[in-house]
Amino acid sequence: MRFLSLQRARRSAHITHMPVIRARLLMMNAALGPLDYKVPDGMNVEYGQIVIAPLGPRQVTGIVWEEGRLPANSVPEAKLRPLLSAVDVPPIRGELRRLIEWTADYYIAPLAAVARMVIASGGALRGPATMTEYRLSGGMPDRMTPQRERAIAALEGEQATIRELSGLADVSEGVLRGLVNQGALEPVEVDVDRPYTRARHDFDEPDLSDDQRKVSARLVEAVATRKFAPILLDGVTGSGKTETYFEAVAEALKDDRQVLVLLPEIALTEAFLKRFGNRFGAAPVTWHSSLKSTERRRAWRAIASGEAQVVVGARSALFLPYANLGLIVVDEAHEISFKQEDGVRYNARDVAVMRGHFEAIPVILASATPALESLHMATSGTYEKLDLPSRFGGAQMPEIRLVNLTEEQPGRGSWIAAPLRRAMFERLERGEQSLLFLNRRGYAPLTLCRNCGFRFQCPNCSAWLVEHRLSQRLSCHHCGHETATPEKCPECGEPDCLVACGPGVERIADEVAEMLPDARVALVTSDTINTPEKAAQFVAMAEGGAIDVIVGTQLVTKGFHFPELTLVGVIDADLGLEGGDLRAAERTYQQVAQVAGRAGRGAKPGEVLIQTRHPDAPVIAALEAGDRDAFYDAETEARRHAGAPPFGRWAAIIVSAEDDAEAREAANRIGNSRPRLDDVMILGPAPAPLALLRNRYRYRLLLNARRSAELQKVIRQWLGQLDHPPGVRVGVDIDPYSFV
Ligand code: ADP
Ligand code: ZN
């Protein structure tokens, strides 16, 4: 059946696309404009075909594009060089070509940069491939060494490349090559593109609650209808949003169409994969930045051929060349990690909706704390909104209380106030779990010398170095610069004079260990949970009751479901409200509401204690009252008043150079040539809050436009007429999320 329908699709594609004689290529290199080539006799290319073309002595990759949609070039017919070959992968479909164009246009990015996100695996374009993996042969080496012994013990039942095995066994590749030579490891040839296990739509169907059934029926209908339908799935934490949208996934599977599920975090993926496997009997295809190149190729080709049924990935999975997409789900759709901050600065949540538009399919945005923009789209009728107002299985929403830090001061060098301490003692006594949240990695955000006042600063950035006691290093969270924590002050030479100022999660974990010496404490940050395996291990331990207290950064705010977790403590709810972030209130609300949502998800009720110095701040008061609508209403009015999104639009222009004067002059040049417009207000240039980043000096301009303004056109014309020295970079950030 499946095979037949694919055949039909292919044939009709041949009928509608006439063969091209002169082919205009979108080149994968942004420095090249579109180039025209001759299609040699006997070569059959369609629009969207990926081809190899000659350029001088080199071979370059391009995509055959509709001529009228790319700027023409004037090379006469007779001078055209012939294409070398067509790559044996399906052509990039028209729907995706339109998305590439839209993305480049909207985010003011080169077409090539967007197209490269589609061809995200160089390896995928090569011909059939096998690779060599190794496994234990059962034989023993002539000479045993401790390392060899360790490797053999660790590799029982494993089969992978030497590099991967070396990671698994924690020995060098040299040790493993020795074992190959000795015959203890044997090579196995495997097909890189071996098929994935098929998922089954009816593997283990859940019993949905009435609310869930109503919502899932509508989602299923939307998938079956095969029309564009943006849907906001707005359900409280623990309401079973995943369970519910899985029914829509099942419908697409039944219909042999592909599904893309975007997740914000790799740590979340593990818990998700397990649930997915339980429901559909097979793992989905995953896509994220730490895939090995062979896995990347395998996934890419399976996605392009239609073999991959469900893809679960980070934002970059959005641009892959799905053969027959039937549904997109953006889970935790409010998450800011869907916003890419370098290269093409796009927001995967918004582009997902555009992809749904071009593909004519439903897009589900699932969240307990939707972005104000999404909620506005729903109230204005652009998005459909489906609600899951209560937790599954009768679990109650947690009780939320504030701890006023101006009254309940913790002692010196301590950050956990008495009420939170008491609550943690109780939990430990009852054998229940607590979670403490502080969105700051490391031990302390600032280290200074008590003797001379010296402060450790990053040499490349205008930022303090953050002490990490676990790794005994001072590190910059912006550029990754690291140095060993010294014994004495580098300025005055005094020993034992360095003081840590302020808390990071490591310091909170220390405080917990001191306060509850018997408690088993897990520290959950991107420093400790940095691989899918570690994430899986953490989830298993927390679920199995092997952890009493979890201390974590934003990694722990979402996705996890630990029934024994009954207390959540927010160490510093005011942290996110500092600084010049225009979305600070919304982000604080989302983070605290999400982490609060981890409490009391099982049979036992949950309690949340929020430590704050500003109990009267509207966002904190709304959190205490559990009044989501009050928060959104107040924030909506504030945004309306400020002409901020969704009522107006923002864009940022970021100018940087290694030389401060050069950057400043370029920024001033841009500022001085600003257009005077009624519907666009332009602020700056001003030194960026992060005035130095990775050794580049930075200046920013902020545009605030009415919705009706043609913002992109204005920026393109404005910046297009200016030239800058080669060392100057000018970046445009449409709908920015970062203001540093
Ligand atoms: P959300 O994503 O809305 O926070 P989840 O989908 O994670 O909620 O559901 C919360 C918990 O309840 C999960 O452990 C999930 O397996 C369970 N659950 C939700 N709906 C059902 C159902 N219909 N049948 C069985 N378990 C369910
Ligand atoms: Zn730095």
Side-chain angles (χ1 to χ4, degrees), residues 17-46:
H17 298 288
M18 295 303 287
V20 192
I21 300 148
R22 178 181 181 132
R24 180 155 303 158
L25 303 191
L26 168 60
M27 309 308 296
M28 287 301 98
N29 179 344
L32 303 171
L35 297 177
D36 285 6
Y37 288 88
K38 188 167 73 194
V39 179
D41 287 346
M43 186 167 156
N44 186 14
V45 298
E46 303 171 26

Side-chain angles (χ1 to χ4, degrees), residues 187-241:
V188 190
E189 287 295 304
V190 293
D191 175 9
V192 170
D193 302 328
R194 63 208 177 283
Y196 294 95
T197 315
R198 308 284 304 165
R200 285 176 33 200
H201 68 89
D202 57 355
F203 182 77
D204 187 9
E205 295 175 325
D207 267 332
L208 296 183
S209 70
D210 288 346
D211 279 350
Q212 292 176 339
R213 196 165 322 120
K214 243 183 271 159
V215 170
S216 80
R218 170 61 196 126
L219 297 178
V220 165
E221 180 193 62
V223 173
T225 309
R226 301 181 168 224
K227 285 208 185 98
F228 174 51
I231 300 171
L232 180 61
L233 174 53
D234 186 356
V236 299
T237 53
S239 58
K241 293 184 287 297

Side-chain angles (χ1 to χ4, degrees), residues 458 460-461 476 478-479 481:
C458 176
N460 315 320
C461 307
C476 171
H478 297 287
C479 73
H481 171 85

Side-chain angles (χ1 to χ4, degrees), residues 551-573:
V551 180
T553 56
Q554 45 82 27
L555 260 196
V556 299
T557 58
K558 57 206 157 230
F560 295 119
H561 179 79
F562 304 136
E564 290 301 314
L565 203 163
T566 59
L567 174 69
V568 165
V570 178
I571 298 295
D572 184 353

Side-chain angles (χ1 to χ4, degrees), residues 685-703:
L690 250 177
L692 179 68
L693 175 64
R694 293 190 192 92
N695 273 320
R696 298 180 71 84
Y697 290 88
R698 307 166 74 242
Y699 291 81
R700 297 181 67 104
L701 296 98
L702 184 68
L703 286 72

